[in-house]
Amino acid sequence: MMLAITMGDPGGVGPEILLKAYREGAVRWPAVAYGDLAVLEACNQALGYGVPLRRLSAPAEFREGALNVVDLSLLDGENLPVGRVDAASGAAAREYVVAATKAALAGEVSALVTLPMNKAATQLSDPAFTGHTELIASLCGVRDATIMLVSDRLMVTHVSTHVSLAEAIRRVKRERVQRIIAL
């Protein structure tokens, strides 16, 4: 099984989560990251993690001993807008998800893990963007989709996502709940 892990928003916590998870051995299956190698190198250096990184052009080039990165080369590691809403970072984060999803659909990877994206930043380049789930569903040609969170003790799926509390309450209708259960 080969996992694809998207880097998330380059100016957010995604690169740090990815590097730290690899460093601490939390990535237990063969995995390739989808993102920008230059951004990961800059974050790796700034954090002092010392994670070995390897550039790939495709998941099939995976080799043990380093965090393998399918480098989309969308951003460089200089002048990262850390902690700020940035259109270029939002667009890049979206493209990481698109590339990883296409790899999954092509059978190049078996599963997809997505790290956090800043929805406001992504909406600066894609105003219709509402979240990972909806983007992945559209790439898969699926109209109805839901997110499921699973732990050893609990499985939860959402009746609503990315809406205000008032809208979430309005969406709790019998038909919607039944549709989510069916999904």
Side-chain angles (χ1 to χ4, degrees), residues 126-149:
D126 178 3
F129 179 80
T130 55
H132 290 90
T133 304
E134 297 81 4
L135 174 59
I136 294 167
S138 72
L139 292 167
C140 294
V142 174
R143 185 174 172 268
D144 282 337
T146 188
I147 186 170
M148 180 178 282
L149 308 172

Side-chain angles (χ1 to χ4, degrees), residues 94-167:
R94 183 188 185 284
E95 289 309 309
Y96 308 151
V97 173
V98 169
T101 301
K102 287 181 178 179
L105 290 170
E108 297 172 7
V109 297
S110 304
L112 179 63
V113 175
T114 58
L115 293 177
M117 293 172 64
N118 184 313
K119 286 161 188 56
T122 304
Q123 288 170 341
L124 291 173
S125 62
D126 178 3
F129 179 80
T130 55
H132 290 90
T133 304
E134 297 81 4
L135 174 59
I136 294 167
S138 72
L139 292 167
C140 294
V142 174
R143 185 174 172 268
D144 282 337
T146 188
I147 186 170
M148 180 178 282
L149 308 172
V150 180
S151 76
D152 293 338
R153 301 175 69 195
L154 183 65
M155 291 176 35
V156 177
T157 191
H158 297 186
V159 173
S160 64
T161 57
H162 313 300
V163 296
S164 69
L165 179 58
E167 178 60 22

Side-chain angles (χ1 to χ4, degrees), residues 18-20 22-24 31 33 37 40-41 44-45 48-55 62-69:
L18 177 59
L19 292 165
K20 187 174 183 180
Y22 182 85
R23 182 185 74 168
E24 294 181 358
L37 183 62
L40 287 171
E41 288 173 337
N44 198 21
Q45 182 176 355
Y49 281 176
V51 171
L53 301 168
R54 178 180 297 118
R55 174 183 279 120
F62 173 86
R63 299 288 179 270
E64 292 286 342
L67 176 57
N68 291 261
V69 181

